[in-house]
Amino acid sequence: MNYGINIWGANNFFIENGVLKINYANQPALIDIIKEIEEKGFQGPILLRFPHLIRKQINSLYNSFKKAIKLFEYKGKFKAVFPLKVNQFPTFIKPLIKIADKYNYGLEAGSKAELILAMTYNNKKAPITINGFKDKDMIRLAFIAGFMGYDVTVTIEGLNELHSIIEVSKEYNSFPVNIGIRIRLHTSGVGIWAKSGGIASKFGLSSTEIIEAIEIMKKENILNKLKMIHFHIGSQINDISPLKKAIRESGNIYADIRKMGAENLIAIDIGGGLAIEYSQWEEKRDRNYSIEEFSNDVVYLLKEISNKKQVPMPDIFIESGRFIASPSTVLVAPVIELFSKEYNEKSLKLKKKNPDLVEELFDLYKTINENNYIEFFHDALDHFESLLTLFDLGYIDLIDRSNTEILVHLIIKKAINFASYRGFKNKDLKAINEKFQEKYLANFSIFQSLPDFWGLGQRFPVIPLTKLNISPNRSATIWDITCDSDGEIPFNKKYPLYLHDINLQKEDYYLGFFLVGAYQEILGMKHNLFSFTNEAIVNFDNDGNWEIEFLEPTQKIRDILIDLDYDIDEVERELKNKIENSLLDEENKKEILGELFLLLNDMVYLKN
Ligand SMILES: *Cc1c(COP(=O)(O)O)cnc(C)c1O
């Protein structure tokens, strides 16, 4: 049982001696990193950022296009920008910027705030592209970026934006940016994000509007500023064929616009969408192509169209975000409780005289063995139903009911263990497990840390950091610590997750959620006022040893209240008044007040 690491792991992690290790430099175990962070006093969920995995993705993107360009003797260049909307956090962006320099890898901005980030941090020679709906202030910012010396392309989403650019250029009496046109393809978008492409798309100019835009630019004498056309057919493109169609369509549009006199039009920006393999199950792959196939297809098709239409091969621009960001980040959540932990033999309160069915359950529990466990399991479930009915009708009391619950759970545990001896694939075990899941309460919020699971049903690979040399035998449902019944990753019969039976009194157990570097934290919600987790950047020194470069604690209760615009002085005053007017002794008041203020300054997550 390797939790599908060979499918989603991309050789970034491996299992050795029962623990999960990082396949880089001196190959540390994730659990050792977590232990060190906890020793520094950090508890609760921890987000680990690995810059070496950002580098690996950037390198893989540039290399595969470099190879394709060589293979097909392609004449255009390859350029790329990182779309900031995918991850704007400094713990991600600052390492990315360092790595990006060598590649001339730039940034894409879709809002004024993102543009300010790009203007602040982008490497001098790297491109900046600007998409999304723009007001005049955003265009002014783009011009200022141009004045700073950046290579800026403003992609217009509609004709009104072209007019705004012209007006702003007259204000400044200067034109320091390139123009891009987002084209509306008839090829529909793909996946759950289909609205990014297609004729009914939220974005882009239709053919009629493109022609009009060119006429306007001709009239204003700025057609030489038109440098790029752009499309984006959606995120997580799982099938390559719509992309190929979009390339053909945009290649033809590119050639025709050039023939209309746009001689500086020299680039096609193919947007993002490069998919990540999130699956833990062979039967459920998330994409049907490799990065090599992707780059070969793009380069080959653009060469073919350019030759046919006798135009120069365009530079290829790409804005893939998910592909670059996802692998870099791992969320680790400590398991703090197993639902069935209450059910142990010591808690039984058997009476001198018990209801017959309870006596029978006790017998089943004592005599269950490897030959009879399936039959006894079924009997136990039958008795369980009957006893609960008897309770509802008032024939047995709460103590009998408690004994019933304990015995049934103990019998199930024994049955699972007997079934496990015969190998994990045993169909009896499967049957038991499908009927009865263990519930693992993990110290994190799905709403904050995995919002795409909540909103879109996106599954992220989950794997415990330890015990990986032992076959897990409990079918698992993962609960987060919010009070919301949606805060649950339920057991799925078709794509089952099994975890270990553990005694948290004696050992720790951590769940790692992988490939969470794209979109999650920023889409995350402060539901129940659980907000950002602990965060650490893990780097490797020249000797291959890991080090924690940066460590940021979770938000404090106090700070999240301030975030919501509560007047914290008012909160503190009210709390203080309530203690002072309470019936506590004077000296107790002081002590309790001190304690209350310490708690107010503590983290929102649970202590492990
Ligand atoms: C969101 C977005 C991207 C990034 O998409 P990924 O699927 O993360 O690669 C690129 N370009 C545009 C215009 C976008 O809106």
Side-chain angles (χ1 to χ4, degrees):
M1 178 77 187
N2 68 0
Y3 292 88
I5 197 169
N6 54 314
I7 306 168
W8 59 266
N11 277 325
N12 294 335
F13 302 94
F14 67 104
I15 296 168
E16 191 176 68
N17 300 330
V19 298
L20 188 65
K21 294 185 168 179
I22 298 167
N23 189 17
Y24 188 74
N26 291 347
Q27 308 187 320
L30 276 149
I31 186 70
D32 293 340
I33 297 177
I34 294 299
K35 285 290 167 201
E36 176 155 331
I37 293 174
E38 286 191 348
E39 269 163 31
K40 290 178 196 285
F42 291 74
Q43 295 195 33
I46 300 172
L47 203 62
L48 299 173
R49 308 265 193 211
F50 293 107
H52 76 278
L53 293 177
I54 307 177
R55 186 181 319 113
K56 181 184 172 196
Q57 294 306 98
I58 296 178
N59 198 42
S60 140
L61 183 68
Y62 275 84
N63 262 349
S64 63
F65 271 92
K66 195 166 136 193
K67 275 196 199 139
I69 282 175
K70 198 162 166 215
L71 177 66
F72 295 108
E73 296 176 353
Y74 192 78
K75 298 291 181 311
K77 296 194 191 77
F78 174 72
K79 294 182 177 180
V81 287
F82 178 76
L84 281 164
K85 81 161 190 282
V86 179
N87 190 329
Q88 306 95 335
F89 286 91
T91 44
F92 175 82
I93 288 298
K94 290 192 169 181
L96 176 131
I97 291 292
K98 265 194 219 157
I99 298 158
D101 200 18
K102 180 175 136 194
Y103 298 88
N104 258 335
Y105 185 43
L107 294 171
E108 183 261 3
S111 68
K112 286 183 270 194
E114 287 181 359
L115 182 49
I116 290 283
L117 279 184
M119 293 161 72
T120 309
Y121 292 109
N122 198 43
N123 290 303
K124 196 81 203 183
K125 289 198 185 121
I128 293 179
T129 63
I130 304 170
N131 300 319
F133 296 110
K134 301 161 205 74
D135 61 6
K136 266 206 205 159
D137 280 348
M138 185 154 172
I139 292 167
R140 288 187 189 107
L141 283 174
F143 271 55
I144 295 170
F147 293 140
M148 290 172 168
Y150 283 121
D151 169 13
V152 180
T153 304
V154 182
T155 300
I156 57 168
E157 307 273 358
L159 289 173
N160 57 329
E161 291 184 2
L162 180 57
H163 291 299
S164 301
I165 292 177
I166 292 165
E167 281 162 31
V168 170
S169 79
K170 288 180 178 159
E171 281 173 22
Y172 289 115
N173 200 13
S174 178
F175 212 113
V177 301
N178 305 306
I179 297 177
I181 294 183
R182 181 144 177 183
I183 55 179
R184 185 172 299 192
L185 300 175
H186 72 72
T187 310
S188 17
V190 289
I192 353 183
W193 293 271
K195 286 200 180 79
S196 303
I199 223 107
S201 158
K202 184 172 156 195
F203 304 105
L205 279 69
S206 65
S207 0
T208 320
E209 288 167 320
I210 293 172
I211 295 168
E212 200 178 332
I214 289 171
E215 278 163 5
I216 295 169
M217 285 188 267
K218 269 188 187 159
K219 203 176 102 221
E220 295 285 337
N221 224 355
I222 53 168
L223 191 54
N224 62 342
K225 294 288 177 190
L226 177 59
K227 190 109 178 254
M228 171 149 70
I229 60 169
H230 171 228
F231 67 85
H232 170 67
I233 61 171
S235 204
Q236 185 67 1
I237 302 174
N238 41 24
D239 172 15
I240 193 129
S241 50
L243 180 83
K244 287 174 145 174
K245 273 199 198 154
I247 297 275
R248 282 200 194 90
E249 192 182 344
S250 62
N252 280 302
I253 294 175
Y254 158 79
D256 288 356
I257 298 181
R258 270 196 71 97
K259 289 188 172 166
M260 292 166 79
E263 283 178 355
N264 286 343
L265 176 60
I266 192 54
I268 298 189
D269 180 345
I270 64 171
L274 205 50
I276 278 286
E277 183 58 80
Y278 292 100
S279 179
Q280 295 189 267
W281 301 276
E282 202 56 64
E283 319 78 78
K284 180 189 163 284
R285 291 273 180 165
D286 282 332
R287 60 171 187 201
N288 69 357
Y289 58 90
S290 63
I291 171 87
E292 287 77 22
E293 182 182 349
F294 179 91
S295 45
N296 284 345
D297 281 348
V298 172
V299 171
Y300 172 78
L301 286 171
L302 285 177
K303 175 179 174 178
E304 195 188 53
I305 296 163
S306 306
N307 283 347
K308 203 152 117 206
K309 290 228 160 174
Q310 301 202 326
V311 289
M313 295 178 215
D315 292 346
I316 297 163
F317 243 93
I318 196 165
E319 297 174 339
S320 271
R322 181 186 299 274
F323 177 82
I324 299 294
S326 303
S328 68
T329 308
V330 178
L331 173 77
V332 177
V335 172
I336 45 180
E337 205 177 303
L338 259 60
F339 179 77
S340 74
K341 84 166 188 329
E342 312 299 333
Y343 301 116
N344 57 55
E345 207 176 320
K346 277 197 218 113
S347 313
L348 279 174
K349 294 198 170 49
L350 291 175
K351 303 170 178 166
K352 279 214 181 87
K353 175 87 185 81
N354 297 291
D356 289 350
L357 283 175
V358 173
E359 293 286 353
E360 276 181 41
L361 275 179
F362 191 70
D363 269 356
L364 291 174
Y365 170 56
K366 285 292 166 198
T367 55
I368 187 169
N369 64 38
E370 62 183 278
N371 301 315
N372 64 20
Y373 70 92
I374 281 292
E375 188 191 332
F376 278 29
F377 166 72
H378 287 137
D379 291 350
L381 287 189
D382 280 348
H383 289 6
F384 192 34
E385 285 296 322
S386 310
L387 281 158
L388 289 178
T389 310
L390 288 175
F391 178 78
D392 290 346
L393 298 173
Y395 290 115
I396 66 169
D397 65 16
L398 197 56
I399 291 175
D400 299 325
R401 179 172 158 170
S402 158
N403 289 333
T404 302
E405 287 173 5
I406 294 168
L407 285 168
V408 169
H409 277 90
L410 290 174
I411 291 165
I412 290 166
K413 268 203 177 180
K414 277 196 171 183
I416 286 172
N417 282 333
F418 285 124
S420 301
Y421 294 147
R422 310 187 166 186
F424 187 71
K425 293 227 158 82
N426 182 309
K427 76 175 192 317
D428 299 333
L429 174 62
K430 214 171 145 221
I432 300 170
N433 262 324
E434 282 175 5
K435 279 214 177 92
F436 251 89
Q437 283 99 47
E438 180 62 274
K439 296 173 178 79
Y440 292 77
L441 181 67
N443 196 357
F444 79 124
S445 156
I446 287 171
F447 300 89
Q448 171 58 45
S449 296
L450 305 175
D452 276 350
F453 174 77
W454 174 72
L456 302 165
Q458 168 70 56
R459 297 206 61 149
F460 296 89
V462 192
I463 173 170
L465 303 190
T466 54
K467 295 186 92 81
L468 294 164
N469 47 356
I470 301 167
S471 253
N473 64 10
R474 300 307 314 266
S475 54
T477 289
I478 300 171
W479 277 352
D480 75 5
I481 55 169
T482 67
C483 310
D484 194 309
S485 55
D486 270 358
E488 175 184 6
I489 302 176
F491 183 72
N492 181 325
K493 267 194 213 174
K494 221 166 139 206
Y495 303 114
L497 173 72
Y498 296 96
L499 294 173
H500 299 89
D501 194 15
I502 35 165
N503 181 348
L504 288 167
Q505 244 69 53
K506 295 203 178 112
E507 58 191 331
D508 292 331
Y509 195 62
Y510 297 85
L511 299 179
F513 295 86
F514 287 76
L515 302 172
V516 300
Y519 299 105
Q520 300 316 294
E521 287 297 304
I522 203 69
L523 288 176
M525 292 155 269
K526 298 181 167 138
H527 197 21
N528 261 158
L529 302 190
F530 292 113
S531 69
F532 299 128
T533 64
N534 296 294
E535 213 178 328
I537 301 181
V538 182
N539 253 320
F540 293 87
D541 67 17
N542 290 335
D543 299 326
N545 297 315
W546 62 276
E547 55 193 9
I548 295 167
E549 189 191 282
F550 175 88
L551 194 52
E552 169 104 347
T554 71
Q555 225 175 359
K556 291 179 177 139
I557 297 170
R558 176 180 211 285
D559 292 334
I560 190 161
L561 297 182
I562 294 173
D563 263 9
L564 294 187
D565 281 343
Y566 280 99
D567 175 352
I568 198 69
D569 294 337
E570 180 180 275
V571 172
E572 289 181 352
R573 207 165 48 237
E574 282 299 319
L575 292 173
K576 194 164 168 231
N577 281 343
K578 280 172 190 165
I579 296 289
E580 270 164 8
N581 298 330
S582 70
L583 298 174
L584 289 165
D585 294 340
E586 280 314 309
E587 58 195 282
N588 278 346
K589 277 183 188 169
K590 237 178 151 178
E591 204 172 301
I592 299 264
L593 195 61
E595 196 181 344
L596 178 60
F597 277 74
L598 280 180
L599 290 169
L600 183 64
N601 281 289
D602 215 337
M603 67 168 181
V604 287
Y605 287 95
L606 303 183
K607 296 272 171 67
N608 296 348

